[in-house]
Amino acid sequence: MAACRDGGVLLLLLAAGCLHARGTAEAPAVVSVELEGVTAVDPDELRDKLATRASDRFTWGDARLLDPDALEFDRRRVLAFYRERGYYRAEVDPLEVKPDGDGRVIVHLRVREGEPVRVARVDVPGLDAAPEAAARAGKLSLEPGKVFTWAAFDEGRSQLQAALAGTGYATGTVTQSARVHAAEGTADVTYRVEAGPRFRFGGVSVSGTAEVPQEKVQAQAARSVTPGDWYDEARLERVQARVLELGVFGAVRVQRGEPDLEAGAMPVLVSVREAPFHTIRLGPGIGFDPSRTELKLQGAWIHRNWLGGLRQLRLDARGGYAWLPDPVSPIRQGVVGTLGAEFTQPAVIGNTVDFTIKVELEKSIEQAYESYSEKLRIGTPLRPAPRWTIFPSYNIEVYQLSNVTEGSGATIPEVQNCPSQVCVLSYLEQRISWDLRDNPLVTTSGLYASLRVQEGFHLGSVGYDYVGILPEVRYFQPLGGSSVLAARLRVGAIVPLGESGPAPVVALYTAGGSGGMRGYGAERLSPMVQQEDGTWVPTGGNGMIEGSVELRRGLGGQLVGALFLDVGNVSSSSGSGSAWTEVLDLSKLQAAIGIGIRYRTPFGPFRADLACRLPNDFSAGVPFEQRFPAVPGDSGHHEPIVAFHLTLGEAY
């Protein structure tokens, strides 16, 4: 526990060193902005509206000096802030400046909020002329009895405008007005609707193409827009997403054209700008984990219109050198690398189903073995909607193992299903994902859900019969200011079929590492075997669970801090089919708390995390190292309690 405490203190000292901001007597530094009486609104959101701000808390941050002229303007900003939220009777005292040592001051703000203004009446004249829009709009964001806020006032107009545009009334307008009686605490709201004529979708015209046939763009747009359907403004965004899916345009703009009043038709205009078809990427990389260090050079060549027809060819190469666990005292080390080629033929079935084939050769060094492998994937990806991806495929993977770990005087049992140390996996796979995130690299809100199912079978005399399933859910909730609450859960199981016995080691689950349960190094949360030299080596299990809750908060500039709680477990690799019950045994669940810091870059955040595992046994007289839950299948090995991870990209 001392190691955990000392490691946490070290990271706190490195990541959160306080800045002793100082100015002068004439221009003191603001060290804090205190708020009194602020209960009905978000204090952090209110602080963000002020020109007077506290100096950064970190050694690399700014010392912000007091501007006396800004104090009165800040008082007016606070009054406007409260009015936007319905508090028309709020009162704000002049901001008070209090000394806090040489060249330092604290700014104090006192508010008397009062009672908010509430809506007394809402009138929507003219909506009866568009009954379809009235049904689509439903209940407005402002209704009698609710607090009158500018955001809800504007949202009501947006609701009505969207309802008109979504039911064919493309040229309809909504004019909003309100009379606020601050003394009485009431407001009367009016939304005046001019519906206009109702339109259907007309034809789709395309401009801006050079090498890409316009027919390809029109066919892609036709997946979301059908001439003759009632006009719906929201479908224009779907058309834009569909056209961008082609992968050859740097910009796409979709808008309605000039309405044909006589025909009652609204044409759709698609303007595009073609991007370069060739892309070359090359760069070095480094990976650091408590159980693996790797230097690598990687590159890719991509052609998005190879041989025409929007066929795509991608070539990838990665080479490097890996040390397990590190260059100082390696247990394994050697050259690693991957060569891959992937070809995609769009629209093999209608305009919705593509065809892809991928070939990959790999030289790998794992903790339990080394291998050469050849992999083939043939799939038919489709995107039925912009946020949905469905990818069925057939896969075959062949691994030639070498330097397999010897445990207790015998080869690890999982290699028994790999004759002559050759493992073959032949399986069908279905991947389904639903992505509602605002940004996949730096996510601040949204939901991501996926499901992967595999059905393994023999290919002649080789292969393994099993069913594998791996669902995953991620959720991101903004908390105001620069804070985000992130959560993830994934559960996997491999169920052997018939008398298949234990799964090959290359198919089993392991957990831990920078993208999983961070209380362990990569693959170290796993059943283990002990080598003759006394070291423990992970072999994997047929069940796995990993979960995480993380609070992320901006620290100023490009820096983000994080507090997290990770949990995880991996079951044994027996062929009993009990993966679900064993991995979901909460008494065996591993847990770790941690702190991290991120630096945002154009390629994603550069991340450092320090995690400390938590005990689950607090009985008197139990030795410290036995207070932690044991990993299924081991003989009481003891992993380090603290793990440090350095990598690029968020954990999820």
Side-chain angles (χ1 to χ4, degrees), residues 51-130:
T52 303
R53 299 194 179 189
S55 301
D56 288 338
R57 300 177 182 179
F58 303 93
T59 54
W60 49 79
D62 297 328
R64 298 187 175 93
L65 303 181
L66 178 68
D67 180 1
D69 295 334
L71 298 180
E72 177 56 27
F73 287 106
D74 279 338
R75 192 181 78 85
R76 297 176 188 174
R77 288 188 181 97
V78 174
L79 286 171
F81 182 87
Y82 269 93
R83 286 196 170 194
E84 288 179 7
R85 287 150 184 81
Y87 289 83
Y88 281 77
R89 291 177 284 188
E91 298 179 359
V92 181
D93 292 344
L95 278 68
E96 181 183 359
V97 178
K98 301 187 295 187
D100 187 52
D102 294 338
R104 296 156 57 94
V105 294
I106 296 173
V107 175
H108 185 83
L109 172 66
R110 183 169 180 265
V111 179
R112 292 181 294 278
E113 295 176 331
E115 291 298 319
V117 168
R118 297 187 178 274
V119 177
R121 193 175 71 182
V122 179
D123 295 323
V124 191
L127 187 58
D128 292 343

Side-chain angles (χ1 to χ4, degrees), residues 62-288:
D62 297 328
R64 298 187 175 93
L65 303 181
L66 178 68
D67 180 1
D69 295 334
L71 298 180
E72 177 56 27
F73 287 106
D74 279 338
R75 192 181 78 85
R76 297 176 188 174
R77 288 188 181 97
V78 174
L79 286 171
F81 182 87
Y82 269 93
R83 286 196 170 194
E84 288 179 7
R85 287 150 184 81
Y87 289 83
Y88 281 77
R89 291 177 284 188
E91 298 179 359
V92 181
D93 292 344
L95 278 68
E96 181 183 359
V97 178
K98 301 187 295 187
D100 187 52
D102 294 338
R104 296 156 57 94
V105 294
I106 296 173
V107 175
H108 185 83
L109 172 66
R110 183 169 180 265
V111 179
R112 292 181 294 278
E113 295 176 331
E115 291 298 319
V117 168
R118 297 187 178 274
V119 177
R121 193 175 71 182
V122 179
D123 295 323
V124 191
L127 187 58
D128 292 343
E132 302 86 0
R136 173 75 69 91
K139 184 181 295 185
L140 296 181
S141 56
L142 271 184
E143 57 182 359
K146 285 193 173 182
V147 174
F148 175 79
T149 67
W150 293 4
F153 181 45
D154 292 339
E155 176 61 24
R157 178 186 178 277
S158 298
Q159 277 183 262
L160 291 168
Q161 195 72 63
L164 290 170
T167 53
Y169 300 94
T171 58
T173 60
V174 180
T175 304
Q176 66 190 100
S177 61
R179 298 189 64 179
V180 177
H181 310 283
E184 292 81 9
T186 61
D188 297 328
V189 178
T190 301
Y191 297 108
R192 189 170 301 278
V193 175
E194 297 274 349
R198 196 178 187 201
F199 293 93
R200 297 180 183 270
F201 276 113
V204 177
S205 61
V206 179
S207 63
T209 58
E211 296 188 45
V212 179
Q214 290 188 359
E215 294 77 13
K216 285 281 187 182
V217 181
Q218 289 173 328
Q220 191 76 349
R223 296 170 61 184
S224 297
V225 167
T226 302
D229 288 349
W230 288 115
Y231 179 83
D232 184 348
E233 192 91 21
R235 293 199 193 181
L236 300 187
E237 293 185 11
R238 300 179 198 171
V239 172
Q240 182 183 45
R242 289 290 191 190
V243 175
L244 283 171
E245 284 177 20
L246 294 174
V248 292
F249 297 118
V252 176
R253 183 183 180 187
V254 181
Q255 57 188 335
R256 67 190 188 201
E258 191 68 27
D260 185 338
L261 297 176
E262 184 176 344
M266 183 68 71
V268 176
L269 308 180
V270 181
S271 303
V272 299
R273 177 172 55 82
E274 293 182 354
F277 292 140
H278 299 81
T279 299
I280 297 177
R281 299 171 182 168
L282 183 66
I286 182 172
F288 174 77

Side-chain angles (χ1 to χ4, degrees), residues 232-563:
D232 184 348
E233 192 91 21
R235 293 199 193 181
L236 300 187
E237 293 185 11
R238 300 179 198 171
V239 172
Q240 182 183 45
R242 289 290 191 190
V243 175
L244 283 171
E245 284 177 20
L246 294 174
V248 292
F249 297 118
V252 176
R253 183 183 180 187
V254 181
Q255 57 188 335
R256 67 190 188 201
E258 191 68 27
D260 185 338
L261 297 176
E262 184 176 344
M266 183 68 71
V268 176
L269 308 180
V270 181
S271 303
V272 299
R273 177 172 55 82
E274 293 182 354
F277 292 140
H278 299 81
T279 299
I280 297 177
R281 299 171 182 168
L282 183 66
I286 182 172
F288 174 77
D289 186 274
S291 57
R292 187 184 186 97
T293 302
E294 184 174 333
L295 294 175
K296 55 189 174 183
L297 181 67
Q298 51 194 5
W301 178 85
I302 307 169
H303 197 304
R304 298 178 181 84
N305 196 30
W306 188 61
L307 302 179
L310 300 186
R311 299 175 181 89
Q312 184 176 118
L313 179 64
R314 178 186 179 105
L315 304 177
D316 290 282
R318 177 180 63 84
Y321 201 87
W323 297 267
L324 280 67
D326 55 61
V328 178
S329 54
I331 299 174
R332 294 179 185 268
Q333 61 178 307
V335 175
V336 295
T338 302
L339 292 175
E342 184 173 12
F343 169 75
T344 301
Q345 168 68 61
V348 293
I349 302 177
N351 293 311
T352 60
V353 181
D354 299 340
F355 171 81
T356 180
I357 181 170
K358 181 177 182 180
V359 179
E360 187 174 87
L361 307 176
E362 184 177 18
K363 167 67 170 65
S364 176
I365 296 179
E366 306 299 334
Q367 298 177 49
Y369 59 88
E370 300 177 22
S371 72
Y372 288 91
S373 61
E374 302 82 35
K375 303 176 183 178
L376 171 67
R377 183 183 71 200
I378 301 174
T380 54
L382 64 151
R383 297 192 66 181
R387 298 281 188 170
W388 284 89
T389 300
I390 301 175
F391 194 168
S393 65
Y394 168 69
N395 303 259
I396 182 169
E397 303 174 1
V398 182
Y399 299 82
Q400 296 88 33
L401 306 186
S402 62
N403 298 326
V404 178
T405 289
E406 299 288 332
S408 303
T411 303
I412 56 177
E414 286 75 7
V415 184
Q416 291 177 2
N417 265 312
C418 300
S420 302
Q421 296 192 1
V422 176
C423 302
V424 178
L425 295 177
S426 174
Y427 59 92
L428 298 173
E429 181 178 75
Q430 303 83 43
R431 298 184 183 184
I432 303 174
S433 64
W434 184 40
D435 193 347
L436 299 177
R437 296 173 295 179
D438 60 343
N439 186 317
L441 285 181
V442 183
T443 309
T444 59
S445 66
L447 174 71
Y448 173 85
S450 67
L451 174 65
R452 187 178 73 185
V453 180
Q454 294 179 352
E455 301 90 16
F457 54 90
H458 270 73
L459 190 65
S461 60
V462 297
Y464 182 72
D465 298 333
Y466 71 97
V467 173
I469 182 169
L470 182 64
E472 179 176 0
V473 177
R474 307 176 191 177
Y475 179 71
F476 304 87
Q477 177 64 50
L479 300 180
S482 58
S483 298
V484 176
L485 182 67
R488 179 188 65 175
L489 177 67
R490 60 175 179 168
V491 183
I494 296 175
V495 181
L497 300 179
E499 302 297 327
S500 300
V505 66
V506 296
L508 295 175
Y509 296 115
T510 59
S514 62
M517 202 289 202
R518 285 164 282 187
Y520 284 82
E523 303 180 359
R524 299 301 293 183
L525 177 50
S526 164
M528 300 255 185
V529 297
Q530 190 175 29
Q531 300 183 111
E532 294 179 356
D533 62 2
T535 58
W536 291 91
V537 176
T539 58
N542 64 356
M544 178 271 296
I545 181 172
E546 282 188 322
S548 177
V549 177
E550 183 169 293
L551 178 62
R552 303 168 185 170
R553 183 176 177 83
L555 303 177
Q558 301 302 315
L559 289 171
V560 177
L563 298 173

